[in-house]
RNA sequence: GGGUAGGUACCGAAGUGGCCAAACGGGGCGGACUGUAAAUCCGCUGGCUUACGCCUUCAGUGGUUCGAAUCCACUCCUGCCCA
């Protein structure tokens, strides 16, 4: 049982981890025990009408504990890390004002980092500029960047990065590299961070099962009902594969396999980010089902044992 | 039983006497990331080694050759065709 003193600790908790580890169930249980409210830190769960595809918490969870920043945005709308930070800060202070504990849960590493460390003040993306730059070849992009920002530290093999650096330089009239500032530390003062992990084989098995479940619950129909996809929502894992299925270019089982594979590869990138960007307390959930079990180690770390 | 095409690293697939530890793709693993991040990009991937390098590989065995994944013989296995 949590002691009265520990219940009074309202330092926001971050529950990070790769897709499929069991963040959702874990966070709900934590919220129950510590009188918390859940704040999604997920770039895709923000979208309305994509509940199954983005594995949003179910009704049971959502009626048990208040959830924020989940399923509130039209898929037609773009979304980004800065937008997330603004909304999240607002929500966090409201939750605290209510005397509740904010529990930030999600798999979008950049969003969490932006929340804990802040983003450098740079202009937001410009869709018109981006589509204009998209016309250029890699070589042309590098050439332009070389003129505008000769000291650019961006990965020149990565067109996405080059485009963003160019975008910043063009919009501000100053070299993008001049506006850069390193994130100095992995520490996250003001937050208590947990990184949920599981053995890779178990995680893969869970992902395969989750993807099968998505199809059983009707993702294909859900995708068909999305009225309009904006630039951000269109990149959700599984979307392209399911659209291919709907066009008859993929069989159901090929589609399931493809989505499972994309998800597994995403998990690798998530783990790389979380391992190397933060110093969160690692909580191994291997062997635990999505019950209401919270490993003692996690409770100790949170001072709630 | 006869014919025929094959058996290459985790998988698919090039290579057909030295430039081969073996192209390329997939997968796997690792990494990067500051307003698209479920995105985008990079590296490694037989063993030992920091590296030079050494060792063991191309179904198996035995040959030919200075030298074989590559040529020859036999054996085993697989696909297809004919009986």
């Amino acid at each position: 049982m949590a002691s009265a003193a520990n219940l009074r600790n309202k330092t926001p908790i971050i529950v990070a981890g790769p897709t499929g580890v069991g963040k959702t169930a874990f966070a709900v249980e934590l919220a129950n025990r510590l009188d918390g409210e859940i704040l999604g830190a997920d770039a895709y769960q923000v979208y309305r009408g994509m509940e199954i595809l983005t594995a949003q918490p179910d009704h049971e969870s959502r009626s048990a504990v208040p959830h924020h920043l989940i399923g509130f945005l039209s898929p037609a709308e773009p979304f980004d890390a800065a937008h997330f930070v603004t909304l999240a800060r607002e929500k966090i202070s409201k939750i605290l004002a209510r005397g509740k504990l904010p529990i930030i849960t999600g798999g979008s590493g950049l969003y969490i980092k932006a929340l804990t460390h802040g983003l450098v003040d740079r202009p937001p993306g410009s869709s018109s500029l981006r589509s204009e730059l998209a016309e250029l070849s890699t070589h042309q992009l590098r050439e332009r960047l070389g003129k505008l920002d000769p000291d650019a530290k961006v990965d020149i093999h990565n067109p996405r990065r080059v485009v963003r650096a160019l975008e910043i330089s063009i919009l501000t009239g100053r070299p993008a590299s001049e506006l850069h500032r390193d994130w100095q530390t992995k520490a996250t003062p003001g937050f208590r961070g947990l990184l949920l992990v599981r053995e890779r084989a178990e995680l893969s098995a869970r992902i395969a099962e989750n993807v099968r479940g998505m199809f059983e619950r009707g993702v294909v129909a859900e995708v068909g009902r999305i009225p309009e996809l904006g630039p951000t929502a269109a990149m959700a894992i599984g979307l392209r594969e399911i659209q291919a299925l709907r066009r008859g270019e993929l069989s159901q089982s090929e589609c399931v396999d493809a989505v499972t594979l994309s998800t597994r590869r995403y998990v690798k990138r998530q783990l790389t980010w979380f391992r190397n960007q933060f110093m969160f307390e690692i909580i191994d959930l291997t062997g635990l089902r999505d019950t209401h079990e919270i490993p003692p180690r996690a409770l100790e770390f949170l001072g709630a044992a």
Side-chain angles (χ1 to χ4, degrees):
Chain A
M1 284 311 292
S3 71
N6 287 322
L7 279 178
R8 265 184 259 115
N9 183 350
K10 298 301 180 192
T11 304
I13 295 172
I14 294 170
V15 177
T19 297
V21 252
K23 294 187 292 294
T24 304
F26 185 97
V28 167
E29 178 56 19
L30 216 53
N32 280 332
R33 294 196 191 202
L34 304 177
D35 195 25
E37 295 191 17
I38 292 169
L39 184 79
D42 195 295
Y44 289 79
Q45 287 186 359
V46 297
Y47 290 113
R48 201 190 308 131
M50 296 172 67
E51 289 81 12
I52 302 172
L53 185 71
T54 64
Q56 294 176 25
D58 57 23
H59 290 296
E60 196 189 333
S61 301
R62 301 192 66 167
S63 55
V65 176
H67 282 65
H68 307 276
L69 300 188
I70 290 173
F72 69 95
L73 191 65
S74 159
E77 297 292 325
F79 198 63
D80 61 55
H83 192 172
F84 167 77
V85 171
T86 305
L87 296 177
R89 287 191 174 142
E90 205 174 285
K91 293 290 183 187
I92 289 170
S93 54
K94 282 186 181 166
I95 293 167
L96 289 169
R98 252 178 250 134
K100 305 285 188 177
L101 171 68
I103 298 176
I104 299 132
T105 308
S108 295
L110 176 64
Y111 284 23
I112 295 175
K113 189 84 176 189
L115 175 64
T116 58
H117 288 69
L119 291 169
V120 168
D121 186 30
R122 296 158 128 188
S126 153
S127 55
S128 59
L129 187 51
R130 281 175 185 178
S131 53
E132 195 182 304
L133 293 172
E135 302 294 315
L136 301 178
S137 70
T138 315
H139 182 72
Q140 291 172 309
L141 287 172
R142 285 179 196 172
E143 221 167 65
R144 278 197 77 176
L145 186 65
K147 286 182 191 140
L148 293 177
D149 187 4
D151 300 324
K153 287 176 290 184
V154 291
D155 174 5
I156 59 166
H157 296 291
N158 192 336
R160 197 79 146 223
R161 291 271 139 63
V162 177
V163 165
R164 167 97 267 243
L166 268 175
E167 183 178 61
I168 294 165
S169 305
I170 291 167
L171 260 25
T172 62
R174 295 171 61 195
S177 55
E178 229 176 66
L179 300 169
H180 186 83
R181 183 193 78 225
D182 283 337
W183 275 325
Q184 295 295 347
T185 169
K186 295 181 178 184
T188 52
F191 295 91
R192 293 178 282 172
L194 297 175
L195 173 57
L196 269 33
V197 300
R198 304 181 98 107
E199 276 173 14
R200 202 61 74 84
E202 183 174 301
L203 195 53
S204 297
R206 285 171 60 95
I207 287 164
E209 191 171 328
N210 290 164
V211 173
R212 276 195 297 272
M214 276 166 41
F215 280 80
E216 278 161 23
R217 279 176 287 126
V219 240
V220 180
E222 181 183 83
V223 167
R225 285 193 299 268
I226 299 172
E228 193 196 341
L229 281 166
T232 312
M235 290 185 299
I237 283 179
L239 208 50
R240 288 172 207 160
E241 293 88 340
I242 291 170
Q243 283 166 338
L245 169 70
R246 292 176 59 84
R247 287 193 300 266
E249 296 164 8
L250 234 51
S251 74
Q252 167 104 2
S253 77
E254 284 171 332
C255 185
V256 170
D257 288 349
V259 175
T260 303
L261 179 62
S262 313
T263 308
R264 218 189 299 135
R265 308 222 296 167
Y266 169 49
V267 160
K268 278 179 55 61
R269 281 175 268 133
Q270 286 179 300
L271 286 169
T272 298
W273 181 275
F274 288 128
R275 278 191 297 234
N276 300 323
Q277 295 286 330
F278 300 107
M279 295 188 306
F280 290 164
E281 184 73 6
I282 294 172
I283 305 298
D284 189 352
L285 261 31
T286 301
L288 297 180
R289 294 198 53 83
D290 281 341
T291 55
H292 296 311
E293 283 184 84
I294 301 277
R297 184 196 174 94
L299 296 173
E300 268 167 47
F301 174 76
L302 297 171

